[in-house]
Amino acid sequence: MTTYLQAPQDGAFLMREVDWAFRETGTLKAGQVYHPGTVLAQQGLADNVVVAADGGNTGNGTIDDATVVTGKAAVLGAYVLTALDATHFSVTTPNGNNLKNAVVGTEYASTHLSGFTITAGGTAFEAGDILTVTVAAGTGDFVALDPAKDDGSQIAKAILFSGQNAKDSAQKAVLVTRLATVDGNRLIWPEGITADQKTAAIASLATNHLLVK
């Protein structure tokens, strides 16, 4: 006897929805076939940041831009790190808010930026030296949730209502983004997602009243 496996059905994960009119249309990034119930994130930030030292700096220490991780609170624009002395920097967001200070030789961590270390150069920093970390905009396309990324793909934002083949090109699709209750057993999560990562994703969806049961 031949056994047939049924593919996920459009909207089968929905348990309750306030109104179908609250669904949104988004663009799925090219490169794969997406199935209904896939938990999605949005590439709001560029894959890489750009680190630059002010031309008038005395110190010649650096930040390796490949180590900078953008967090869930990251915003577009230039984060300004200003030396207070040879080993301490204030950190200001693009919209002028102050984050905790950075210390030369110590890995920095915040909900905006993390993972990097300001390294001392041959000439020590002096008060007023400036380093900038610029976060650029991403494509804005929706992608399957990926907790390992730092471009927005790690933050759950929506659930795909209907399947879409975007293997060769980006495609428009219907998304459930808010005001609904869904069956967690019918959702498609990334392979290898940990319990903590899933809990964080469910909490992120809940901020828009998209509840996973």
Side-chain angles (χ1 to χ4, degrees):
M1 181 178 69
T2 302
T3 300
Y4 295 95
L5 297 178
Q6 186 177 30
Q9 299 299 298
D10 292 354
F13 57 87
L14 281 168
M15 298 173 68
R16 182 177 182 275
E17 189 176 22
V18 172
D19 194 311
W20 66 267
F22 286 113
R23 297 174 193 168
E24 297 182 14
T25 300
T27 300
L28 298 175
K29 184 178 179 179
Q32 71 175 84
V33 176
Y34 296 82
H35 298 291
T38 299
V39 179
L40 300 173
Q42 191 171 23
Q43 284 190 320
L45 307 176
D47 290 335
N48 301 308
V49 303
V50 176
V51 178
D54 187 82
N57 285 358
T58 297
N60 59 358
T62 60
I63 294 174
D64 180 357
D65 52 14
T67 64
V68 181
V69 176
T70 51
K72 63 181 181 181
V75 295
L76 301 179
Y79 286 79
V80 180
L81 285 66
T82 305
L84 304 173
D85 53 40
T87 57
H88 297 83
F89 281 73
S90 64
V91 182
T92 305
T93 69
N95 47 19
N97 295 324
N98 294 320
L99 303 180
K100 71 175 186 177
N101 289 348
V103 180
V104 173
T106 301
E107 184 174 312
Y108 189 76
S110 76
T111 57
H112 284 251
L113 303 175
S114 62
F116 67 89
T117 299
I118 302 173
T119 58
T123 303
F125 289 111
E126 289 189 357
D129 284 354
I130 293 175
L131 300 171
T132 59
V133 179
T134 301
V135 178
T139 63
D141 290 348
F142 284 86
V143 296
L145 176 70
D146 186 345
K149 294 291 185 69
D150 62 358
D151 59 0
S153 302
Q154 76 279 20
I155 304 170
K157 281 197 169 184
I159 300 171
L160 183 62
F161 179 80
S162 55
Q164 192 64 264
N165 186 349
K167 198 165 185 65
D168 296 324
S169 61
Q171 298 291 328
K172 294 289 186 182
V174 177
L175 316 176
V176 178
T177 60
R178 62 194 187 278
L179 298 174
T181 301
V182 303
D183 183 350
N185 294 320
R186 290 178 175 266
L187 299 183
I188 298 175
W189 297 95
E191 184 176 352
I193 190 170
T194 68
D196 286 346
Q197 289 168 342
K198 184 178 287 190
T199 296
I202 290 172
S204 178
L205 294 173
T207 60
N208 283 329
H209 304 286
L210 184 49
L211 307 180
V212 179
K213 298 295 186 181

